[in-house]
C-alpha cells in the first residue's frame, strides 16, 4: 500500500516531486509509525465490516482500528468479538484485496491473546492492538498480553496505547503518571508503534466539548496535556515515540458563530472555490486548522471517526517542495560541522545543528507521504484525492 495509491499513477506523477513509498505490514516500525496517517475507527460490530475495510482501502485509508471499546455497547462485546473473527476470515479469503493496517481496540488484556488465538491463520492480517486508558499500572498487563499473543501466534504485533486517563489530565498526578507511562512503553519500545491521545475523554473529565470552530489547542486544559505528553514522550533525541493527533468529531456545521478559518486565496489560485465552500460546510476548516496545529506541536497522524476526514489529514501531511529543499540542504554531509545558510527559497534562515532533528523528521514524512511538486499546494492534493 501507499498514500495516495488510490489515485491514478499519471495524476501522482503530476502532483509529486517524490512519490510516497510503498509499505506493508512487514515494513520497519519507523516507517509504519510515520505512515499511519489518518487512522479510521470503526465499531467491530458492523455486519459488513470486511466490505467496509476493502472499500475504505480503495479510498485511500491506510490504517484502521476496529473498536470493541467505547464505540460499542457493553452488551455487544461478545458479539463484536465473534463478528471480528468472521470478518477476518472473510478478508483472508480475498487474496487480491488490498487492506490497510488493521488494529483492534480491546477493553481488557485478556482479550488480546484470546482474539489472536481465535483469529487463527487470519491473524496475519492484524497489525496490533489499541490499549485504552493507558497508565503504567493498567498498561503493563496489556503489553505483557501482547507479548504472549505474539509468541503464541508467531506473528509480529504492535501496541498503540491511548493516553486518556484522568490521572494524566489532573495537574497533581500528571508528572507521576507520565513518568510511569514512559517506563512502561520504554520497556516494550520495539512493540509500541505510536501513542494516541484521547482528547474526548480529557474533555469529559471537565464536562467540556470543543465547538467545530475551535481546535483542541483552544481548550487550554487539554492543550496543556498535549504539551506535556510531547515534552516527555515525543522527544527527537531517540527516546521519543510517534504521538498522533486527537480525534475531530464533526461532519457538518448547521450554524457557525465565527468566520471560517480557511483563507480564500489558495482556493482562488487553484480554481477550487467550490471545494472551499464544501470544506467549510462540513466543518473541515476547523479540522484543517487543527491538523496544522498538531504538526506544529510535534504530532503526526490523527484519529478519525469519519471517512471524509482522511484526505485532509493526508493532504496536509505531504511535504512541500520548500520543506524538502530546506531539509535536504540541512542534512548535506558537508554541513556536518554546522553553520547557517539561506533557504533556497530565500525567505528564511536554516541553522544546521538546531534544525537537524526537524530535517530528519521531515525526510521521514517525505518518505511515507511524498513531496509535492514546486507548484502543487494542499488544495491540489485535496482536489485530486476526492473521488470523481
Amino acid at each position: 500500500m501507499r498514500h495516495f495509491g488510490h489515485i491514478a499513477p499519471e495524476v501522482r506523477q503530476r502532483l509529486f516531486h517524490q512519490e510516497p513509498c510503498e509499505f506493508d505490514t512487514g515494513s520497519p516500525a519507523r516507517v509504519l509509525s510515520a505512515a499511519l496517517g489518518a487512522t479510521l475507527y470503526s465499531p467491530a460490530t458492523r455486519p459488513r465490516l470486511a466490505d467496509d475495510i476493502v472499500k475504505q482501502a480503495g479510498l485511500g485509508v491506510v490504517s484502521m482500528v476496529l473498536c470493541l471499546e467505547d464505540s460499542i455497547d457493553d452488551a455487544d462485546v461478545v458479539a463484536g468479538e465473534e463478528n471480528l473473527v468472521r470478518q477476518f476470515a472473510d478478508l483472508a479469503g480475498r487474496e487480491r484485496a488490498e487492506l490497510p493496517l488493521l488494529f483492534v481496540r480491546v477493553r481488557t488484556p485478556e482479550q488480546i491473546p484470546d482474539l489472536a488465538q481465535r483469529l487463527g491463520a487470519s491473524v496475519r492480517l492484524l497489525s496490533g492492538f489499541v490499549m485504552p486508558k493507558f497508565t503504567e499500572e493498567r498498561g503493563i498487563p496489556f503489553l505483557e498480553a501482547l507479548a504472549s499473543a505474539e509468541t503464541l501466534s508467531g506473528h509480529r504485533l504492535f501496541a498503540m496505547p491511548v493516553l486518556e486517563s484522568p490521572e494524566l489530565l489532573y495537574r497533581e498526578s500528571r508528572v507521576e503518571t507520565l513518568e510511569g507511562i514512559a517506563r512502561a512503553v520504554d520497556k516494550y519500545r520495539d512493540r509500541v508503534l505510536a501513542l494516541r491521545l484521547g482528547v474526548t475523554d480529557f474533555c469529559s473529565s471537565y464536562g467540556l466539548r470543543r465547538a467545530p470552530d475551535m481546535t483542541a489547542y483552544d481548550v487550554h486544559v487539554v492543550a496543556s496535556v498535549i504539551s506535556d505528553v510531547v515534552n516527555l514522550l515525543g522527544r527527537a533525541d531517540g527516546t521519543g515515540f510517534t504521538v498522533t493527533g486527537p480525534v475531530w468529531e464533526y461532519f457538518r456545521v448547521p450554524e457557525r458563530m465565527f468566520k471560517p478559518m480557511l483563507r480564500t486565496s489558495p482556493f482562488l489560485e487553484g480554481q477550487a472555490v467550490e471545494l472551499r465552500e464544501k470544506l467549510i460546510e462540513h466543518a473541515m476548516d476547523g479540522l484543517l486548522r487543527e491538523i496544522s496545529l498538531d504538526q506544529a506541536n510535534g504530532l503526526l497522524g490523527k484519529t478519525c471517526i469519519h471517512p471524509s476526514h482522511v484526505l485532509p489529514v493526508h493532504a496536509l501531511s505531504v511535504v512541500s517542495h520548500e520543506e524538502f529543499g530546506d531539509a535536504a540542504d540541512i542534512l548535506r554531509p558537508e554541513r556536518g560541522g554546522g553553520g547557517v545558510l539561506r533557504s533556497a527559497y530565500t525567505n528564511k534562515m536554516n541553522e544546521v545543528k538546531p534544525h537537524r532533528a526537524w530535517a530528519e523528521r521531515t525526510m521521514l514524512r517525505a518518505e511515507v507521504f511524498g513531496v509535492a511538486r514546486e507548484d502543487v499546494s494542499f488544495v491540489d492534493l485535496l482536489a485530486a484525492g476526492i473521488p470523481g
Side-chain angles (χ1 to χ4, degrees):
M1 72 192 88
R2 63 164 56 176
H3 284 288
F4 296 92
H6 64 299
I7 65 178
E10 60 272 17
V11 177
R12 285 203 307 271
Q13 291 173 10
R14 175 172 55 81
L15 293 172
F16 288 96
H17 169 77
Q18 174 184 301
E19 290 194 30
C21 71
E22 292 186 343
F23 57 91
D24 57 30
T25 55
S27 295
R30 63 174 286 278
V31 172
L32 296 182
S33 66
L36 288 167
T39 300
L40 183 63
Y41 274 55
S42 175
T45 51
R46 291 179 69 89
R48 297 181 62 84
L49 186 59
D51 291 335
D52 294 341
I53 290 169
V54 173
K55 176 184 177 182
Q56 294 306 325
L59 295 173
V61 173
V62 303
S63 63
M64 288 186 69
V65 171
L66 314 175
C67 186
L68 290 166
E69 208 227 359
D70 286 348
S71 69
I72 67 172
D73 191 277
D74 295 347
D76 293 333
V77 174
V78 172
E81 292 176 345
E82 293 172 349
N83 188 55
L84 269 181
V85 173
R86 286 195 303 270
Q87 301 294 337
F88 266 75
D90 183 345
L91 289 172
R94 306 187 190 197
E95 294 184 5
R96 296 190 177 183
E98 286 206 10
L99 303 178
L101 303 173
L102 297 174
F103 301 85
V104 174
R105 177 167 170 158
V106 291
R107 295 183 174 213
T108 67
E110 295 75 22
Q111 285 177 295
I112 292 176
D114 179 59
L115 280 171
Q117 182 178 24
R118 289 163 65 183
L119 287 172
S122 65
V123 74
R124 63 182 173 83
L125 305 179
L126 183 66
S127 290
F129 291 89
V130 175
M131 302 168 176
K133 300 170 180 60
F134 193 95
T135 61
E136 182 178 29
E137 182 180 1
R138 289 194 292 270
I140 288 292
F142 277 105
L143 293 168
E144 291 173 343
L146 180 84
S148 174
E150 185 175 73
T151 300
L152 291 171
S153 67
H155 175 68
R156 182 179 70 167
L157 294 168
F158 286 111
M160 289 204 291
V162 185
L163 310 186
E164 56 187 346
S165 64
E167 299 98 312
L168 185 59
L169 181 64
Y170 299 148
R171 185 170 185 173
E172 67 272 18
S173 55
R174 184 180 303 172
V175 172
E176 182 181 355
T177 302
L178 271 173
E179 290 174 344
I181 291 170
R183 286 191 295 268
V185 295
D186 186 62
K187 183 178 178 180
Y188 290 85
R189 174 171 293 274
D190 291 344
R191 294 279 73 85
V192 176
L193 193 62
L195 305 176
R196 312 200 71 87
L197 288 165
V199 164
T200 301
D201 279 45
F202 289 155
C203 288
S204 73
S205 296
Y206 289 89
L208 304 174
R209 187 174 191 177
R210 68 187 186 279
D213 42 14
M214 293 186 181
T215 72
Y217 302 92
D218 295 311
V219 184
H220 288 191
V221 69
V222 169
S224 70
V225 184
I226 296 174
S227 173
D228 287 343
V229 167
V230 173
N231 190 324
L232 185 58
L233 298 170
R235 297 177 185 177
D237 59 0
T239 67
F241 296 82
T242 294
V243 183
T244 66
V247 68
W248 182 257
E249 299 177 345
Y250 295 94
F251 321 137
R252 182 182 291 269
V253 182
E255 182 179 351
R256 75 171 54 241
M257 183 180 300
F258 301 109
K259 290 181 179 180
M261 289 179 271
L262 278 182
R263 291 190 302 113
T264 304
S265 55
F267 293 85
L268 290 175
E269 293 166 5
Q271 297 182 336
V273 175
E274 290 184 6
L275 173 59
R276 178 179 182 272
E277 292 174 354
K278 184 178 180 180
L279 291 170
I280 291 170
E281 178 187 357
H282 290 84
M284 298 298 181
D285 55 324
L287 171 61
L288 291 168
R289 173 67 173 163
E290 186 165 284
I291 296 166
S292 298
L293 289 169
D294 287 342
Q295 293 176 358
N297 284 277
L299 310 184
L300 182 61
K302 200 165 186 65
T303 296
C304 294
I305 41 80
H306 196 274
S308 64
H309 299 166
V310 172
L311 180 58
V313 174
H314 293 170
L316 281 178
S317 297
V318 173
V319 173
S320 71
H321 189 270
E322 180 175 348
E323 289 176 308
F324 181 73
D326 288 338
D329 284 346
I330 290 165
L331 296 175
R332 290 185 189 280
E334 63 268 26
R335 299 290 182 187
V340 177
L341 58 151
R342 186 176 63 172
S343 167
Y345 277 71
T346 67
N347 60 0
K348 72 178 75 66
M349 174 193 72
N350 288 327
E351 195 167 350
V352 173
K353 288 185 177 179
H355 289 145
R356 186 174 186 83
W358 168 85
E360 290 171 345
R361 284 188 168 185
T362 299
M363 284 304 197
L364 178 57
R365 185 158 55 93
E367 182 180 348
V368 296
F369 289 102
V371 179
R373 289 193 180 275
E374 188 171 2
D375 58 346
V376 170
S377 71
F378 82 93
V379 175
D380 300 306
L381 294 161
L382 279 172
I386 296 174

